[in-house]
Every structure is written in structure tokens, then in C-alpha cells.
Amino acid sequence: MSDLQATIAGRLAGIRVRIAAAAARSGRPPEAVRLVAVSKTYPADRVLAAVAAGQFDFGENKVQEGLQKIADATDNRIRWHVIGHLQSNKARKAAEAFHWIHAVDSASLLRKIDEGAVAAGRRPKALVQVDLAGEATKFGAAPDDLPEIFAAAAGCAA
């Protein structure tokens, strides 16, 4: 095991201990918690070192950077997540390559994700981001937009 792998494995073990303790305090099993390692700005060799330590979920907030990392870290156990705001012009590419899309904030974005997923023969999972505070500087759907988003989700083919 390289020094890099040992360092990452040790850090992950420490995080997993903290997750298990927090889960126990809340009455949940630790397996009910999914750790998504944010790999943005880190090269593929770091991702692969984390995979060797048993970490399989990785989050990227820039689609282009994520696509390059997906191409470089070709372990099929990895589940890639788009985290943060997703621009509609990146929706198709995100749907073609990522397993999870974390910040759906409109019905039109969801439809674009669905189009890309259908074209690629994929079924990514999507999470809706809601802006409960109504802050102009924050991303997320307004609560009043949720029925339209859920109706669009019901019509998705992927």
C-alpha cells in the first residue's frame, strides 16, 4: 500500500467511526448513511486510492471536470454524483455519465436530464433542491414549483 493509499484509508476509517457514532445517537444503523466524498479538484489517482479503501461514491460540482475524472478513474464500482447547481446546458452530459444528480431545481432541467438519460440508455437518480429561505443568492426550486417538478418526474422515461 502506498503512502497516499494509507493516508486516505486512515482518514476514511476515522470518518466512518464518526458516522457510526452519529448514526447510533440518532437510532439509525451506520449502513443507512451514504458518504459522498467530494473529489472536485483532486486527480483521479486520489479517487482510485479512496476506492481501494472502500469509498465508492464521489461528488463533482463541475460536469466537465467530472467527465474527465470518470474517463480517468475507470473503476465500475464508482458511483458519480453531480453536486451543486447544474446548468441546463450541462444536463444532457451529466445524465449520460453520472449516477446521481443532486440539485434539480426546475421541471425544465429535469426534462433535459431525462432526455439525456434516455439517449444514453441510463437511469440516473435525481434529488430536488428546494430553497426554503427564498434567498435570491441561493439555488433551488421555490416550494410552489414542487408540484410541477413532481409532475415532470412522473412523466420521465428514464
Side-chain angles (χ1 to χ4, degrees):
M1 178 181 293
S2 73
D3 288 344
L4 173 63
Q5 288 174 323
T7 298
I8 290 174
R11 288 180 181 169
L12 276 170
I15 291 167
R16 289 187 180 118
V17 165
R18 291 170 49 202
I19 288 171
R25 285 191 306 272
S26 69
R28 296 173 63 192
E31 303 81 36
V33 177
R34 180 175 300 200
L35 174 64
V36 177
V38 177
S39 52
K40 66 181 187 175
T41 74
Y42 289 98
D45 67 326
R46 302 271 175 118
V47 169
L48 293 172
V51 169
Q55 175 62 36
F56 301 109
D57 288 272
F58 294 90
E60 292 286 333
N61 69 333
K62 294 183 179 174
V63 172
Q64 287 306 115
E65 182 180 342
L67 292 173
Q68 184 60 55
K69 212 167 289 176
I70 290 168
D72 293 343
T74 57
D75 190 308
N76 64 3
R77 296 174 294 172
I78 298 173
R79 291 177 297 265
W80 293 99
H81 300 243
V82 175
I83 57 175
H85 180 67
L86 177 62
Q87 297 173 331
S88 61
N89 64 337
K90 306 282 188 201
R92 179 179 276 275
K93 288 184 185 245
E96 292 170 355
F98 289 85
H99 299 90
W100 285 84
I101 299 172
H102 282 240
V104 172
D105 60 5
S106 70
S108 63
L109 178 62
L110 185 60
R111 284 190 280 276
K112 288 181 182 183
I113 291 167
D114 187 52
E115 289 169 12
V118 168
R122 297 193 43 121
R123 294 189 63 146
K125 296 182 187 317
L127 302 172
V128 177
Q129 180 180 0
V130 182
D131 176 15
L132 295 175
E135 295 180 32
T137 59
K138 304 288 184 195
F139 290 106
D144 291 346
D145 294 338
L146 292 176
E148 181 185 4
I149 294 170
F150 294 150
C156 286

